[in-house]
Amino acid sequence: LEIVSLLSSINHYKPIKMKSEIINRIAGLRNFMRKHKLSAFIIPSTDPHSGEYVPEHWEARKWISGFTGSAGTVVVTPDKAGLWTDSRYFIQAAEQLEGTGITLFKDRLPETPSIIEWLSCVLNAEDNVGIDGWVNSYQEAGDLQRELEKKQIHLILTPDPFCELWADRPALPDSKVFIHELKYAGLSCKDKITQIQEAARRNGCTGILISALDEVAWALNLRGSDIHCNPVFVSYLLITEHNSTLYIIEDKLSDEVKSHLTENGVTVRPYSTIEEDLKAFTGKLQLPANINAAIYAAAHTHSLIEIAPSPVLLLKAIKNKTEIEGFHHAMKRDGVAMVKFLRWLKAAVPAGNETEVSIDKKLYEFRAGQAHFKGISFDTIAGYKAHGAIVHYEATPETDIPLKPEGMLLLDSGAQYLDGTTDITRTLVLGALTEEEKTDYTLVLKGFIQLSMAQFPHGTCGTQLDVLARLPMWKAGINYLHGTGHGVGCFLNVHEGPHQFRMNHMPALLVPGMTVTNEPGIYKAGRHGIRTENTMLIVPAQETEFGTYYKFEPLTLCPIDKEAILTDMLSDEEITWFNQYHEKVYTRLSPELNNEEREWLKEVTSPLKR
C-alpha cells in the first residue's frame, strides 16, 4: 500500500551520481529512441511482477534520472525530459534533478499536467511513444494507448533499452530459495495447487499464471531473499489442469528444493523462457489485472485470456490454523523484544548518546536475539519530534538527530519470523509534552481503540469501518491521508491485500482468519507525528437472529505509552479496553522476562485511572 504524505519537509536521501553522467545516460536513451523511431520513452518505477518493492535490476528510472525516491515516472523526448512524482518527494526530486535537464512535475497538483497531457503538447500526430512491456501493466498500457490514440499518437512496445545502455546493470537476484516447512505453512504445496486449479476451473480456464512474487512463494511453500525485507524470489508459476511449472533461474534451487518441487508435481523451466512458453500455450488462461503488457501479448498469441483477480490473493489472506498459531508465537517473541527495547530506551535517552539511527540498530539487536528471526519486515521509521510528521521518514546519516528527554518519538517497525510477520507502531514519550501533543496523542488513541473494539456483521468491508478510527479526529478538524490498515503476510510481505481500512472504497470483505493493521495517526508538519498501531486478527464474535458477527483480536503484544494520555478525553469503555489490553500484554509476556524487566512491564501496564 502506498503511504501518501503532504508533509515531506526535509531531505532524507543518499547522494546521487554526477549530473554529467545523468546527462550522458539520457543522451544514450535518445540514441535508442532514434534507432527505434520513437519520439518519447516512458520509464516507470515498476518491475515485471508489479511488486511494491523493486529489485535493483529493474531500477531503471532511478538509473536514468539520479532520483532515488521510491515512486516516480520519467518521460524522455528528443529535446525534453520530465519526472512525475508525488508530494513525498518534491524537495528531494528538485535537488537531485537540478542540472540534469529533467524537469520536475509535481504530480497530483491542479496545475500539473498529466503525462498524457504533456505528451499531447510536445509531440505531433503520428509520433510514436515507446514503453518496455515487461515493466508496464497491460491495463496501464491499454489506458495509455487509448488516450494517446485520441491525439493520433501511437504507443509501441519496445525491447528493454537498458539491456544495452546500462553497462553495469545489476544482474537478476540470485539468492537461494528455501523450503517454508509445513509446520509453519499449515497446508501442503500440493493442496494449495489443487485449490488454485479449482479456482481457475470455476472461471472456465485451463490454466492460470501466478506472477506476484508473494503468491508464488505462498503457493509453493518456498521463501527467498531477492527483495529487501520481503522473503520472496523472482519467478512465475504457471498452473494448468494437469501440470505446474516454476519459471526461475535454476541455480537458485538446491537439490532439496528441487526434490520438494518434484514431490509436489512442479517442473522447473528457465525464467527467461516464460514468454516463448506462453506464446505456445493454447486454451483459456487466467491472468491478473496487473499482469505486465509483455506477458499479456505473449499469452494472447494462441490463448483466450480471462482477466480476473488471482485466487491466491484471498487464499493467502485467510490464515489457516497453523499460520494463526504461528502469528501468536511470533508476536509474543516480538513483544518480548519490544519490551526489552522500550525499557532500555527510556533509561538511555537521558544520557544524551542516542539518535534515531542508533536506536534503530539497538531494536534490531533485541529482535535478532529472538528465535526464528529472519530480518526486518520493512525499514524502520524512527522519527523524533518534527521528523515524526513525515509519514514515510527513514533516518539516514544525513538526517539523523539526537534524542533528548523531551517530546515524542514515533517508532514504526516490524520483523520477519519463520512463523509470522510483525508490524507495530508506538509513539513514545521521552520527556515533557505540550498540551497539544497530549491532546493529539489521545485523539489517535481514541480512534485506535474504537476500531479495535468494533463488532460487525458478515458482509462488511474495511471502508465501512475506517470512519471509526477517524471520527475522534474529524470532530477536532483533523485527518490523515494514509490508509488506516492493511493485511499482513505470514512470513511474507508486510503489506498484503485484498482487504484494507481506507477512506476510498475497498470492496474486499473482512472475514475470520484475516490479519489487518490498525494504525491511525496525526501529523503536524514541523511539530510532531503520532501513530499507534497493532496487528489484529479477525475472529468470530457471535451469532444472532440478525446474522453472523465478527470482531478483532489484537495480535500485537506491547505496552502503549500512558504518559501522554489525557484520561478525561477517554470514555469508560475506552479505558476498560485499554486496561484489558495491557493486562493481556503483561500476562502473555511476563513469563518470558527477567525480574527487572517483569517489574518494569508491570508498572507500564498498570491500570489507567482518571
Side-chain angles (χ1 to χ4, degrees):
L1 300 182
E2 180 189 13
I3 297 178
V4 178
S5 170
L6 296 177
L7 302 167
S8 184
S9 59
I10 66 167
N11 303 330
H12 58 284
Y13 49 87
K14 299 176 183 177
I16 63 169
K17 300 284 186 180
M18 293 176 58
K19 308 298 182 180
S20 59
E21 190 172 341
I22 300 302
I23 292 170
N24 290 335
R25 292 172 182 178
I26 294 172
L29 178 59
R30 285 175 173 145
N31 288 333
F32 173 90
M33 290 162 56
R34 281 191 290 271
K35 179 176 160 184
H36 290 269
K37 296 181 172 56
L38 302 174
S39 298
F41 197 86
I42 300 175
I43 307 113
S45 300
T46 50
D47 68 9
H49 301 273
S50 300
E52 180 181 5
Y53 302 98
V54 177
E56 290 183 356
H57 177 79
W58 284 294
E59 289 186 331
R61 187 269 302 152
K62 177 179 175 180
W63 180 84
I64 195 71
S65 67
F67 168 61
T68 58
S70 66
T73 301
V74 168
V75 184
V76 176
T77 72
D79 58 353
K80 295 180 176 64
L83 168 81
W84 280 255
T85 192
D86 63 58
S87 59
R88 295 174 295 170
Y89 298 113
F90 288 168
I91 296 174
Q92 174 180 341
E95 294 199 11
Q96 291 186 327
L97 296 178
E98 185 180 359
T100 64
I102 303 174
T103 300
L104 170 62
F105 289 92
K106 298 180 178 181
D107 210 6
R108 303 177 190 174
L109 296 187
E111 65 271 21
T112 302
S114 68
I115 290 174
I116 292 173
E117 289 169 341
W118 185 75
L119 287 173
S120 298
C121 291
V122 302
L123 299 185
N124 300 312
E126 305 306 325
D127 278 348
N128 295 325
V129 174
I131 62 170
D132 173 11
W134 288 100
V135 295
N136 288 270
S137 78
Y138 106 95
Q139 203 167 48
E140 291 169 343
D143 292 343
L144 185 60
Q145 183 176 31
R146 282 187 290 274
E147 291 302 312
L148 290 175
E149 288 292 349
K150 293 177 183 178
K151 306 293 182 180
Q152 296 179 298
I153 299 171
H154 311 300
L155 187 70
I156 307 295
L157 296 187
T158 74
D160 179 356
F162 302 102
C163 287
E164 60 182 80
L165 299 178
W166 193 349
D168 56 350
R169 185 179 192 175
L172 287 172
D174 60 357
S175 66
K176 292 293 185 181
V177 173
F178 59 95
I179 298 171
H180 190 226
E181 298 179 62
L182 190 61
K183 65 181 179 180
Y184 303 124
L187 191 64
S188 73
C189 169
K190 192 171 293 185
D191 288 340
K192 290 179 177 181
I193 288 174
T194 297
Q195 289 181 340
I196 297 168
Q197 288 170 325
E198 290 172 350
R201 196 175 298 120
R202 287 193 296 270
N203 274 342
C205 295
T206 57
I208 180 172
L209 183 69
I210 309 300
S211 63
L213 302 186
D214 60 332
E215 295 184 13
V216 176
W218 178 88
L220 298 179
N221 285 347
L222 296 175
R223 297 293 188 268
S225 56
D226 280 354
I227 297 180
H228 178 56
C229 298
N230 297 278
V232 298
F233 48 93
V234 174
S235 56
Y236 291 99
L237 177 61
L238 178 62
I239 298 175
T240 68
E241 292 177 298
H242 308 292
N243 302 292
S244 300
T245 305
L246 174 65
Y247 292 86
I248 191 170
I249 298 173
E250 196 166 349
D251 288 347
K252 298 159 70 75
L253 307 179
S254 65
D255 289 341
E256 181 185 21
V257 171
K258 288 179 181 177
S259 296
H260 166 80
L261 292 169
T262 300
E263 290 167 6
N264 287 281
V266 181
T267 58
V268 176
R269 291 270 290 155
Y271 180 74
S272 60
T273 63
I274 181 69
E275 186 176 22
E276 63 186 72
D277 284 6
L278 288 178
K279 285 180 178 178
F281 185 85
T282 58
K284 189 175 183 182
L285 184 64
Q286 181 173 331
L287 298 175
N290 63 354
I291 195 68
N292 68 62
I295 287 289
Y296 181 87
H300 201 263
T301 306
H302 292 111
S303 303
L304 293 173
I305 303 298
E306 175 75 17
I307 298 295
S310 168
V312 179
L313 195 62
L314 191 57
L315 291 171
K316 176 168 57 66
I318 302 174
K319 308 302 185 284
N320 61 49
K321 181 180 178 181
T322 300
E323 290 174 319
I324 291 171
E325 290 176 356
F327 261 106
H328 283 296
H329 294 316
M331 293 290 178
K332 179 188 253 187
R333 291 193 299 275
D334 204 60
V336 168
M338 285 295 299
V339 166
K340 290 176 181 288
F341 167 79
L342 293 176
R343 177 173 175 266
W344 168 85
L345 179 71
K346 291 280 187 171
V349 167
N353 299 319
E354 302 304 328
T355 70
E356 292 169 330
V357 169
S358 72
I359 64 161
D360 180 8
K361 294 177 180 177
K362 191 68 176 181
L363 177 55
Y364 185 95
E365 291 175 13
F366 280 116
R367 282 190 164 124
Q370 298 299 314
H372 303 325
F373 177 76
K374 300 295 287 185
I376 57 175
S377 56
F378 58 96
D379 289 320
T380 298
I381 297 169
Y384 178 51
K385 286 195 169 182
H387 285 182
I390 302 166
V391 177
H392 73 300
Y393 174 74
E394 180 187 344
T396 69
E398 292 78 25
T399 66
D400 190 24
I401 56 176
L403 306 185
K404 300 177 182 179
E406 60 186 46
M408 294 184 291
L409 169 74
L410 190 157
L411 185 67
D412 189 349
S413 66
Q416 296 284 8
Y417 300 94
L418 286 173
D419 48 2
T421 300
T422 70
D423 185 359
I424 172 178
T425 307
R426 291 294 184 264
T427 302
L428 308 168
V429 178
L430 301 185
L433 300 180
T434 66
E435 283 302 302
E436 179 187 38
E437 288 171 326
K438 292 178 182 178
T439 298
D440 289 349
Y441 184 94
T442 310
L443 287 172
V444 169
L445 181 62
K446 284 177 70 69
F448 169 84
I449 294 175
Q450 285 298 319
L451 182 54
S452 298
M453 294 192 302
Q455 186 171 162
F456 52 96
H458 176 76
T460 301
C461 67
T463 305
Q464 292 167 291
L465 299 184
D466 182 81
V467 65
L468 295 176
R470 297 179 189 269
L471 191 56
M473 300 176 210
W474 285 357
K475 289 180 177 179
I478 299 171
N479 196 18
Y480 54 94
L481 301 180
H482 58 74
T484 302
H486 56 82
V488 179
C490 188
F491 186 35
L492 270 175
N493 297 358
V494 73
H495 294 158
E496 73 170 22
H499 58 294
Q500 304 171 32
F501 297 125
R502 294 190 82 80
M503 288 177 65
N504 53 304
H505 182 52
M506 306 300 295
L509 301 186
L510 302 173
V511 297
M514 287 179 168
T515 54
V516 63
T517 63
N518 172 5
E519 46 184 312
I522 290 176
Y523 313 96
K524 293 184 174 178
R527 284 177 279 174
H528 58 261
I530 299 162
R531 185 164 63 250
T532 299
E533 175 190 17
N534 274 0
T535 301
M536 310 183 299
L537 177 70
I538 302 174
V539 297
Q542 62 177 325
E543 296 277 349
T544 76
E545 61 183 301
F546 298 99
T548 301
Y549 283 76
Y550 308 136
K551 62 182 179 180
F552 299 114
E553 174 189 332
L555 288 171
T556 301
L557 298 169
C558 181
I560 299 169
D561 205 323
K562 297 187 296 182
E563 294 183 56
I565 299 174
L566 298 175
T567 54
D568 288 347
M569 291 177 59
L570 299 181
S571 68
D572 290 343
E573 185 182 34
E574 289 165 346
I575 290 176
T576 297
W577 183 94
F578 187 89
N579 289 339
Q580 288 176 344
Y581 174 70
H582 266 180
E583 182 180 7
K584 178 179 181 178
V585 169
Y586 181 79
T587 301
R588 293 289 305 279
L589 298 185
S590 58
E592 312 299 322
L593 304 172
N594 63 34
N595 288 336
E596 291 80 10
E597 293 161 346
R598 193 178 301 115
E599 284 303 310
W600 182 88
L601 181 61
K602 185 176 182 179
E603 171 60 28
V604 298
T605 59
S606 61
L608 189 65
K609 299 177 181 177
R610 291 197 185 279

